[in-house]
Amino acid sequence: MSPYAGNSKEDTILYISLSTVSEKISTLNMLGTSGLKNLTVRATKGRYAVHDDFATKAYTTYKDYYYRNVENCNFEAIDCKYGCYGAGTRGGAIWHFKNCLFDGGFSWHSWSSDETSDVLNSTIANDITLENCINKTDGINGMVLKSLGSGVNNKIHLIGCEIPLISCTEETSGLGFDFVVDGYGNNEIPFRIVTTKANEKSPFALSDCTAYLRFAQDITNAKPLFKNGYNAYALGGRSPYRMTGISLESNTSGQWSTILTKGYYMASLLGIDGLEDGTLVTVAGGNLAQATDDSVVIGTIETMWNTKFLHLIN
């Protein structure tokens, strides 16, 4: 299906402007396989600028997959109930956003995707790419990925994007996340991860900020590591200058794991959320610790979005 195309983002503007905030009204509601190109979609006091919650396979003659191609568009929310682009991906979404701006203003988020099995009982994963996109928000959540417990391995690919924050949440306690985020060429994106599932693996593997290495020994979460080839070892008492990154999960010898090499990670998931904002961090006795005057500094504690992060500057 050809996308609905405007002349340009400046000349073709679809909008609503409501006097009071609406729970139900959005400027656009997307349906089935479709796309947008060269236009601006704006909502003032709506639910979203775009509500993409109806594009399930039930609307696509029961095909397994449906497609969304969106290019060179601006999505703007002004005092909206939730955000500028709200997506409910209920299985089989193959979506590609390119050269788009998502400006959520002071609303709850700027771009969101949730998935569920409770409506269609789908076991088909979603595969969503954002390429050269800018995500802006003055709200509290940035981009939101919300898992509702389908158990499928949904993929989010970020390529050359600028995103202030990604909030990963589980809708049902204990079920964990059904999203894996990868990509390259992005800013150092902070991930706010909220889960009650024990031993949850990190949901992101951005090549600019992570590495995928094989543990050469049993290693627990939040341990400073160094590498030799593709093998990772606990740093132990070695100099922090040798550190490659930090483990983001506990794993046994011979298993491959994602490690943080730079960027942001929640201090609470690393066991150092007791450190104050602005604290310099080092490695002492093989563990993350507050730096002293003669320490080798590997990062700082930074508070953003009401959340403490370790900013690893390795």
Side-chain angles (χ1 to χ4, degrees):
M1 178 182 291
S2 298
Y4 177 82
N7 294 322
S8 70
K9 293 181 290 186
E10 294 75 24
D11 294 335
T12 306
I13 301 174
L14 309 179
Y15 70 94
I16 59 169
S17 182
L18 306 176
S19 58
T20 58
V21 175
S22 172
E23 175 78 25
K24 298 181 178 180
I25 301 174
S26 301
T27 306
L28 280 182
N29 288 280
M30 305 293 285
L31 179 65
T33 291
S34 58
L36 301 169
K37 187 175 182 179
N38 297 337
L39 53 84
T40 291
V41 183
R42 180 182 300 143
T44 299
K45 296 186 177 180
R47 181 182 177 93
Y48 300 102
V50 177
H51 196 185
D52 204 340
D53 205 29
F54 305 98
T56 67
K57 69 178 183 179
Y59 294 99
T60 55
T61 63
Y62 299 97
K63 295 179 180 178
D64 287 338
Y65 297 97
Y66 62 99
Y67 300 85
R68 177 81 66 252
N69 290 305
V70 180
E71 184 175 358
N72 198 36
C73 291
N74 287 351
F75 303 101
E76 302 170 0
I78 303 170
D79 298 327
C80 284
K81 177 71 174 180
Y82 295 114
C84 67
Y85 202 108
T89 48
R90 296 191 176 115
I94 309 297
W95 293 1
H96 193 157
F97 298 85
K98 184 176 182 180
N99 299 332
C100 291
L101 168 68
F102 302 94
D103 189 347
F106 283 96
S107 55
W108 187 57
H109 56 69
S110 51
W111 190 94
S112 70
S113 179
D114 60 55
E115 54 77 47
T116 183
S117 59
D118 59 2
V119 177
L120 298 174
N121 196 28
S122 175
T123 58
I124 303 172
N126 302 294
D127 197 296
I128 301 173
T129 300
L130 279 73
E131 181 180 358
N132 296 332
C133 292
I134 296 175
N135 183 296
K136 296 172 60 178
T137 181
D138 296 310
I140 61 173
N141 282 302
M143 174 187 282
V144 173
L145 302 177
K146 182 188 293 185
S147 291
L148 285 85
S150 73
V152 299
N153 189 23
N154 300 293
K155 297 179 180 179
I156 304 288
H157 312 288
L158 304 176
I159 303 170
C161 292
E162 182 180 332
I163 301 172
L165 174 74
I166 295 180
S167 297
C168 303
T169 65
E170 58 178 0
E171 186 74 1
T172 303
S173 178
L175 292 183
F177 298 122
D178 298 320
F179 288 95
V180 176
V181 183
D182 62 24
Y184 56 90
N186 307 289
N187 65 303
E188 294 181 349
I189 304 170
F191 279 71
R192 183 166 58 202
I193 303 168
V194 182
T195 179
T196 58
K197 185 177 180 180
N199 300 318
E200 179 75 271
K201 291 185 177 181
S202 170
F204 78 101
L206 300 173
S207 62
D208 302 296
C209 297
T210 63
Y212 196 55
L213 298 176
R214 182 174 53 213
F215 284 5
Q217 59 192 116
D218 294 352
I219 297 174
T220 56
N221 178 56
K223 287 294 184 181
L225 308 173
F226 75 96
K227 73 172 185 175
N228 184 1
Y230 291 105
N231 293 320
Y233 300 83
L235 188 66
R238 298 173 181 85
S239 169
Y241 285 118
R242 293 197 62 187
M243 191 182 79
T244 300
I246 301 170
S247 59
L248 300 182
E249 61 178 320
S250 299
N251 221 332
T252 56
S253 178
Q255 299 300 307
W256 290 79
S257 291
T258 299
I259 72 168
L260 183 74
T261 57
K262 69 174 183 178
Y264 295 90
Y265 202 70
M266 283 180 64
S268 62
L269 298 180
L270 298 173
I272 54 174
D273 50 317
L275 299 181
E276 297 296 326
D277 184 51
T279 299
L280 301 180
V281 178
T282 188
V283 179
N287 297 304
L288 300 173
Q290 182 172 346
T292 58
D293 291 341
D294 58 349
S295 298
V296 177
V297 175
I298 58 98
T300 59
I301 300 296
E302 297 182 18
T303 300
M304 303 179 293
W305 313 95
N306 297 319
T307 304
K308 287 183 183 178
F309 293 91
L310 168 66
H311 185 196
L312 183 62
I313 55 176
N314 183 35

